[in-house]
Amino acid sequence: MSILKYNKSEVKKVYRKYQPLIAFCLLACVLLIIPNKTFSGNTYTIYFYNPETNINNFASLKTEFDQYLSNYGSFQFQPFSDRKSFEEFVVGRSDGVFLLSSWHFSQLKRKFQLDMQARLVGVLKGKATYKKILTAKNNIINIDSLKGKVVASSGNEDYTKKILMQMHGEENKDIVGSMKILTVPKDIDALMAVGYGMADSALTTERSLTKLAAINPKQYGFLMSLSKSEEILLPIIAAPAQSDEKIRLLIAIIEEMGTALDGKRKLKMLGVDGWKKVEELERVSLGK
């Protein structure tokens, strides 16, 4: 019986010669064993980002929605915890819909000139709007006391100051302009920032104040409400202006969630209990 002897340097030469071919074959094998839907583009997605919902467990949120959507076909739910990542990811996508706050939608439309339309708006307790509330430590009694102070908000600086200007008028332009905005990941974090001395006031939703009262009544007791905003649209479902049949089906599935017991339970995680079609006046206020 003969024994095949080999030279290591010769083997290395052969490997280098055929390395591109070997790499190609390995890639082909990987593509064959990975589920086809990953590369076929057949799976359509709900892309979600909204810091005002105060989500703590994104994995659980995804699991809940994926299970629900899987009953209707190749649909999935993809939440984002970071605004920058969400914005970079959604620009130019046409393989799903976008679930985000109404103010963020308006900003994205302007910033990236997106050909996207608002299709549905959330409904909570029969209303499609909510208000922002400016709260502060109870030793701050009016807007004048906030000159040059720190305001915590889950919205970015442009949006926060825009809302503050709407709330306090042109006569307080200098005061609002002097405020320093501390942007936080979640709406309730803004209230926590006041409690921990990182900010002097917070611009949040009424829902976050109610949540704080439940989880930390002592901290809630140190806060004082200074002013309320005008009505703001709840989160919306947006889609590419040129939507295919599968996107239209996905929108219909989302709209019907509020009529199903299991769907309604999952929507509660997002701070809404149903959806309605966006009306023309609402569309105008969102920048279409």
Side-chain angles (χ1 to χ4, degrees), residues 92-105:
R93 298 196 77 90
S94 58
D95 59 346
V97 300
F98 313 97
L99 199 173
L100 68 170
S101 65
S102 56
W103 59 264
H104 194 192
F105 168 77

Side-chain angles (χ1 to χ4, degrees), residues 99-113:
L99 199 173
L100 68 170
S101 65
S102 56
W103 59 264
H104 194 192
F105 168 77
S106 298
Q107 284 192 344
L108 281 178
K109 287 271 289 184
R110 291 194 303 270
K111 183 178 179 180
F112 297 107
Q113 299 297 303

Side-chain angles (χ1 to χ4, degrees), residues 10-278:
E10 289 299 318
V11 171
K12 288 180 181 179
K13 286 180 184 178
V14 172
Y15 177 76
R16 281 197 295 269
K17 181 179 179 181
Y18 292 101
Q19 188 175 15
L21 180 60
I22 294 169
F24 174 81
C25 291
L26 288 172
L27 178 61
C29 292
V30 170
L31 291 175
L32 284 172
I33 63 174
I34 291 178
N36 188 51
K37 68 178 183 179
T38 305
F39 295 94
S40 66
N42 290 332
T43 301
Y44 278 51
T45 304
I46 300 174
Y47 297 103
F48 166 77
Y49 172 73
N50 184 1
E52 292 176 352
T53 53
N54 298 312
I55 302 294
N56 290 318
N57 192 332
F58 285 92
S60 175
L61 180 70
K62 176 173 172 57
T63 298
E64 291 283 336
F65 272 81
D66 279 354
Q67 288 175 348
Y68 185 89
L69 294 169
S70 66
N71 295 319
Y72 299 91
S74 300
F75 301 110
Q76 65 179 358
F77 187 86
Q78 182 57 60
F80 289 78
S81 60
D82 175 70
R83 180 186 290 114
K84 185 179 179 183
S85 298
F86 175 78
E87 290 184 353
E88 289 176 348
F89 196 81
V90 302
V91 171
R93 298 196 77 90
S94 58
D95 59 346
V97 300
F98 313 97
L99 199 173
L100 68 170
S101 65
S102 56
W103 59 264
H104 194 192
F105 168 77
S106 298
Q107 284 192 344
L108 281 178
K109 287 271 289 184
R110 291 194 303 270
K111 183 178 179 180
F112 297 107
Q113 299 297 303
L114 298 180
D115 192 16
M116 213 163 53
Q117 290 182 349
R119 303 295 179 85
L120 303 173
V121 59
V123 176
L124 181 63
K125 296 178 181 177
K127 288 185 63 178
T129 57
Y130 70 104
K131 291 184 177 181
K132 285 278 196 179
I133 301 178
L134 181 66
T135 53
K137 297 174 183 176
N138 52 21
N139 62 332
I140 295 176
I141 58 173
N142 55 42
I143 187 69
D144 295 336
S145 305
L146 287 176
K147 187 170 185 178
K149 302 291 186 181
V150 177
V151 179
S153 170
S154 61
N156 60 22
E157 182 173 355
D158 288 344
Y159 170 73
T160 301
K161 289 198 172 182
K162 178 183 175 183
I163 294 296
L164 289 170
M165 279 296 298
Q166 289 176 354
M167 292 166 73
H168 299 103
E170 192 68 26
E171 63 272 21
N172 290 303
K173 183 178 179 180
D174 290 342
I175 293 175
V176 172
S178 72
M179 292 176 179
K180 302 175 182 68
I181 308 302
L182 172 66
T183 301
V184 295
K186 293 184 295 186
D187 204 55
I188 199 166
D189 292 339
L191 295 168
M192 295 293 190
V194 177
Y196 292 129
M198 298 167 63
D200 303 287
S201 62
L203 183 68
T204 66
T205 64
E206 295 171 293
R207 193 163 173 261
S208 292
L209 273 169
T210 302
K211 184 173 182 178
L212 180 67
I215 64 175
N216 196 330
K218 184 177 180 181
Q219 188 172 329
Y220 176 79
F222 288 118
L223 297 176
M224 176 178 173
S225 178
L226 297 180
S227 53
K228 287 187 178 184
S229 73
E230 297 175 358
E231 298 287 347
I232 301 168
L233 284 174
L234 281 165
I236 64 162
I237 294 290
Q242 300 299 319
S243 297
D244 62 23
E245 184 179 341
K246 203 153 187 182
I247 287 181
R248 290 192 291 271
L249 174 58
L250 182 54
I251 293 171
I253 293 167
I254 296 167
E255 187 176 7
E256 290 298 312
M257 285 186 77
T259 65
L261 186 62
D262 189 36
K264 208 162 196 170
R265 182 177 64 82
K266 292 180 186 346
L267 288 179
K268 285 288 185 186
M269 300 172 76
L270 302 178
V272 299
D273 50 32
W275 303 95
K276 75 177 191 71
K277 287 184 169 62
V278 175

